[in-house]
Amino acid sequence: MSPDVGAAWRAGYKGKGVTITIVDDFSSTSRFSGNFGVGVQTQRHGEWTREEASMIAPLATIRSKDFSTASSVTLAPGLNVLNLSYGMYAKAGYSANQIGWSAEEASIISYATKGTAVVSKAAGNDSVAVGGITGGQQDYLDLALIGKTSAIFVGALNANGTTSNPTGMAWYSNTAGSNPLVQSHFLVVGVAGDKTGLYGTSFAAPIISGYAAIVGSKFTKATPTQITNQLLNTARTDTLIGYSPSVYGKGEASLSRALAPVSIK
């Protein structure tokens, strides 16, 4: 974790009053091992992303929604954050509005469009720009969230950056690309796979979900769009090697900067 997380906790902000819904795999037979500092565990993908979000924002209410079900994602009272550490891939060449979305993804896209939930979406692990083509396919969930009010695409850095020791993009991470609508809603965070054994933007998105919950637990009257914009507008560029909006979007998320004001608009 970034040292900013501990500082937020010491200030009393741990995600209380915020609900994070993890939309992910909670039912398959696929499991893999890693270590978040509590010993080696072998878990499903969703169990890993859920654990990570809960470690960042320990007082947030964490909900699990299996992504193999087609039902709508329901929102809880108060601030809602949705964590999407997955993509929806199909043959390239369609537009997002040509996709016959299930009620699940349709609800997520609607919440991001209306600004009724913060949507933290893993940018992808294909070393292309968000929405780009890889192996003849595109992630249409990425495409559907471009330009949506309270959506954040999250890329992975090799480590947490500092001004004295800046960091760079993980080799696998998708980048913001040339689309200004993506650049303005793209953040990066460190993914310490060398320590945890867990690599991928799947493990970047829950950090932003946790940050959103922490920020929401301070600014309790803020809307999902205000929380989204606070995270985006306080990102750092001075902790990154060769900062460019086409790579890093708005920059490295800074929880300390996001929490700094007395109030947000």
Side-chain angles (χ1 to χ4, degrees):
M1 294 186 198
S2 164
D4 284 2
V5 176
W9 291 358
R10 290 189 292 274
Y13 306 118
K14 297 184 177 182
K16 185 178 180 180
V18 180
T19 300
I20 303 175
T21 300
I22 310 293
V23 186
D24 212 312
D25 170 27
F26 294 100
S27 64
S28 81
T29 59
S30 177
R31 292 172 172 82
F32 51 97
S33 297
N35 188 344
F36 274 150
V38 294
V40 175
Q41 301 175 85
T42 301
Q43 304 187 102
R44 295 180 180 91
H45 192 273
E47 292 161 349
W48 278 117
T49 56
R50 178 178 64 195
E51 181 176 0
E52 186 178 22
S54 68
M55 292 177 80
I56 299 288
L59 294 188
T61 298
I62 309 291
R63 290 180 168 184
S64 305
K65 171 75 163 68
D66 194 280
F67 64 13
S68 67
T69 60
S71 58
S72 297
V73 177
T74 58
L75 300 182
L79 179 69
N80 284 265
V81 180
L82 308 183
N83 190 85
L84 313 181
S85 289
Y86 71 98
M88 300 289 285
Y89 289 86
K91 182 180 178 182
Y94 299 99
S95 64
N97 60 16
Q98 289 178 287
I99 304 299
W101 298 108
S102 71
E104 182 174 78
E105 278 70 40
S107 68
I108 292 167
I109 296 163
S110 175
Y111 298 145
T113 303
K114 296 175 182 177
T116 47
V118 180
V119 177
S120 177
K121 169 71 170 72
N125 305 321
D126 300 307
S127 304
V128 298
V130 166
I133 299 172
T134 179
Q137 295 195 321
Q138 287 176 289
D139 180 353
Y140 284 93
L141 189 52
D142 270 355
L143 288 176
L145 291 171
I146 292 173
K148 301 303 187 281
T149 303
S150 57
I152 302 174
F153 297 103
V154 191
L157 299 170
N158 288 313
N160 297 311
T162 64
T163 53
S164 59
N165 191 20
T167 191
M169 209 71 163
W171 67 268
Y172 54 79
S173 180
N174 284 2
T175 58
S178 60
N179 187 338
L181 294 176
V182 177
Q183 292 178 3
S184 63
H185 280 254
F186 190 100
L187 291 173
V188 288
V189 293
V191 174
D194 56 328
K195 298 177 181 177
T196 65
L198 302 168
Y199 294 86
T201 59
S202 283
F203 301 102
I207 296 173
I208 292 299
S209 293
Y211 284 11
I214 287 173
V215 173
S217 68
K218 177 176 182 177
F219 305 111
T220 56
K221 303 294 186 184
T223 67
T225 299
Q226 288 173 321
I227 297 295
T228 298
N229 289 338
Q230 184 67 6
L231 288 168
L232 290 165
N233 293 335
T234 56
R236 303 187 67 138
T237 60
D238 58 348
T239 58
L240 301 169
I241 298 169
Y243 169 73
S244 166
S246 64
V247 178
Y248 300 107
K250 296 289 282 185
E252 183 173 9
S254 172
L255 185 57
S256 61
R257 288 188 177 190
L259 288 172
V262 174
S263 62
I264 59 174
K265 297 180 180 180

